[in-house]
Amino acid sequence: MLSTPRINDSSKKSYDELKQTHIEDHQSLFDRVSLDLGEFQTSVPTDQLIDEYRNGSYSHYLETLAFQYGRYLTIAGSRGTLPSNLVGLWTVRSFRVDGRLSF
């Protein structure tokens, strides 16, 4: 169930205020770690990088991007709740969520 006071407080703020609050909160955790695999951002679209990766043209930039994306989702998905990756622990069958990001 969503917290009504939290929704009411948020509904009184503008999009820009909500976005700035999110950025400040998220960066305090996100900026604790950096990963440099020696390859910098490219102008190649992400879907093309993924296709090339699948075909054996490995990109350290894509690996860094996937690492950072996983961190973003983990931080966003576990704010004040259980970590998002624990969902597989409570499933009935042999379904397992192991947190791998596969290309």
Side-chain angles (χ1 to χ4, degrees):
M1 182 172 165
L2 297 174
S3 170
T4 302
R6 188 173 181 185
I7 293 172
N8 289 339
D9 290 343
S10 296
S11 69
K12 296 173 187 170
K13 296 180 181 180
S14 70
Y15 170 80
D16 289 332
E17 290 173 310
L18 291 170
K19 181 179 176 183
Q20 187 59 36
T21 301
H22 168 74
I23 290 171
E24 290 170 3
D25 175 57
H26 199 83
Q27 280 182 343
S28 70
L29 298 170
F30 195 81
D31 288 347
R32 294 179 182 184
V33 175
S34 65
L35 178 65
D36 182 356
L37 298 178
E39 194 173 317
F40 300 100
Q41 186 171 355
T42 177
S43 61
V44 178
T46 306
D47 59 338
Q48 185 176 338
L49 286 173
I50 292 170
D51 288 340
E52 291 172 0
Y53 199 95
R54 288 177 177 151
N55 292 319
S57 179
Y58 302 114
S59 164
H60 291 306
Y61 170 69
L62 182 62
E63 292 166 347
T64 302
L65 190 65
F67 171 77
Q68 299 294 18
Y69 182 59
R71 290 183 59 238
Y72 178 85
L73 292 176
T74 300
I75 292 168
S78 59
R79 304 293 290 159
T81 61
L82 292 174
S84 58
N85 202 26
L86 294 178
V87 68
L89 295 177
W90 294 283
T91 56
V92 177
R93 297 190 179 155
S94 62
F95 176 77
R96 182 171 164 246
V97 175
D98 59 12
R100 290 183 293 165
L101 183 57
S102 301
F103 293 120

